[in-house]
Amino acid sequence: MAYPETQLHHSLPLLLICDNLRDPGNLGTILRSAAGAGCSKVLLTKGCVDAWEPKVLRAGMGAHFQVPIINNLDWEAVPNYLPTDTRVYVADNCGLYAQAQTSNKASDHGWVCDRRLSKFHKYEEEEEEDLDTGASKGWLPELEVQSYDLDWTEAPAAVVIGGETHGVSLESLQLAESTGGKRLLVPVVPGVDSLNSAMAASILLFEGKRQLRLRMEHLSRDRSYH
């Protein structure tokens, strides 16, 4: 598919990876935000709703023809679609609890803070049993938590957004760890469980766009001084 020259000209070293996004309206809205922010491409892993499903197309409002979309990927294939030296960041939508854990790592017991990631509790219990027998599997990647508004675009960046039912996958955390990425925290006030996936994606993508714009402005000023 050919894409508009203006869109390609304004594309940024910023990618989006959708992980288990199953709601058509959310995915369409996310694709619309990705196109608006200037993402270079969007990757959809297996388990996501079909990007070309009619409800997704309706919610996307033409985004499908503005940004390249790679559909139905196995996690093993995702690195093949990332630029060299890309760092993968995982959207952390856990709210207030995670705000108190920003100096901790994801491998610390108890970092899971909402029902969408409750599946990891089972693995924690299994790991504890392994520790008792002296055979820890080290299954959970070590990912530091970072506030979304601190600089994370010094290298090409890919942001993982998980679905609201199942959250992010273990494979996304492993990929983030292997590329030197982190968990990006979008803080919410006490009493709010989490943000909608589409809202979280929009916040992170446009924050990435803001950071890249500031970096380009600084580079331009530095060149003008020389």
Side-chain angles (χ1 to χ4, degrees):
M1 185 184 295
Y3 294 91
E5 287 296 326
T6 52
Q7 185 73 15
L8 296 176
H9 176 72
H10 289 94
S11 67
L12 302 171
L14 182 64
L15 293 85
L16 178 66
I17 303 174
C18 297
D19 181 12
N20 264 319
L21 277 168
R22 302 185 181 184
D23 182 88
N26 274 346
L27 180 56
T29 302
I30 286 171
L31 293 175
R32 190 175 178 183
S33 292
C39 282
S40 58
K41 67 179 70 169
V42 178
L43 310 180
L44 274 63
T45 61
K46 287 184 176 179
C48 290
V49 63
D50 184 2
W52 298 94
E53 197 263 2
K55 290 182 180 179
V56 182
L57 285 167
R58 189 178 305 120
M61 295 294 290
H64 293 69
F65 310 104
Q66 299 290 326
V67 60
I69 301 168
I70 313 297
N71 214 6
N72 204 35
L73 288 175
D74 288 314
W75 275 103
E76 293 79 6
V78 168
N80 299 332
Y81 294 89
L82 301 179
T84 304
D85 299 326
T86 296
R87 292 181 184 172
V88 176
Y89 295 87
V90 178
D92 188 321
N93 211 13
C94 291
L96 185 65
Y97 178 88
Q99 294 178 46
Q101 304 296 319
T102 52
S103 63
N104 293 340
K105 296 192 176 180
S107 60
D108 295 339
H109 293 310
W111 74 268
V112 179
C113 55
D114 79 26
R115 62 184 180 277
R116 291 176 293 108
L117 297 179
S118 61
K119 59 185 177 182
F120 290 135
H121 285 304
K122 174 172 69 71
Y123 297 123
E124 285 182 346
E125 292 168 0
E126 290 176 357
E127 184 184 20
E128 287 173 356
E129 291 175 2
D130 292 333
L131 287 172
D132 292 338
T133 61
S136 174
K137 297 177 182 177
W139 66 272
L140 188 60
E142 295 188 355
L143 286 181
E144 294 184 1
V145 181
Q146 172 180 313
S147 179
Y148 80 104
D149 55 353
L150 299 179
D151 191 11
W152 47 270
T153 58
E154 64 273 11
V159 177
V160 180
I161 296 291
E164 295 186 32
T165 302
H166 298 280
V168 295
S169 63
L170 178 59
E171 291 85 354
S172 70
L173 299 174
Q174 291 170 334
L175 182 59
E177 181 188 40
S178 68
T179 60
K182 298 179 181 179
R183 293 163 59 210
L184 296 178
L185 171 67
V186 179
V188 295
V189 299
V192 177
D193 179 59
S194 64
L195 294 177
N196 170 277
S197 293
M199 294 298 99
S202 298
I203 290 170
L204 292 176
L205 293 177
F206 278 90
E207 171 61 19
K209 180 182 177 69
R210 182 192 70 83
Q211 293 181 14
L212 289 167
R213 176 177 55 80
L214 290 177
R215 179 166 281 103
M216 291 301 297
E217 290 175 355
H218 291 157
L219 287 174
S220 296
R221 281 200 295 268
D222 290 343
R223 291 195 188 102
S224 67
Y225 293 146
H226 296 293

